[in-house]
Amino acid sequence: MAVFSYIIGGIIVWSLIGWGLDTLLKTHWIVLVGALLGIAGGLYLAGKHGLFTQQRHSATSQPPDNGVEDDGDH
């Protein structure tokens, strides 16, 4: 979910910057460049924060190993 937040936030912010530059410079293409920069920046930040790697929660998903094997015959 955080990856989408970075991407959507980047698109919105950079599109607004591009829209403002389009208005000042009387062009119509900078908003598209801004949206693409927002996507790239969002993906970069998500990768930088490690949101693409699968995180292991071994402490919560597996019981601690205390050296005793359980064969289920108790």
Side-chain angles (χ1 to χ4, degrees), residues 3-14:
V3 173
F4 292 118
S5 299
Y6 281 126
I7 293 171
I8 298 300
I11 291 171
I12 291 171
V13 168
W14 285 101

Side-chain angles (χ1 to χ4, degrees), residues 1 17 19 25 29-30 34 39 41 43 52-53 60 68-69 71:
M1 190 70 178
I17 292 171
W19 176 75
L25 301 174
W29 57 271
I30 299 176
I39 292 170
L43 289 172
F52 292 123
T53 59
T60 59
V68 178
E69 291 186 26
D71 59 1

Side-chain angles (χ1 to χ4, degrees), residues 54-71:
Q54 184 179 12
Q55 296 179 5
R56 295 183 181 183
H57 300 290
S58 61
T60 59
S61 64
Q62 296 177 354
D65 185 20
N66 58 3
V68 178
E69 291 186 26
D70 185 19
D71 59 1

Side-chain angles (χ1 to χ4, degrees), residues 19-32:
W19 176 75
L21 289 173
D22 274 341
T23 304
L24 288 174
L25 301 174
K26 308 288 191 242
T27 61
H28 298 289
W29 57 271
I30 299 176
V31 68
L32 178 62

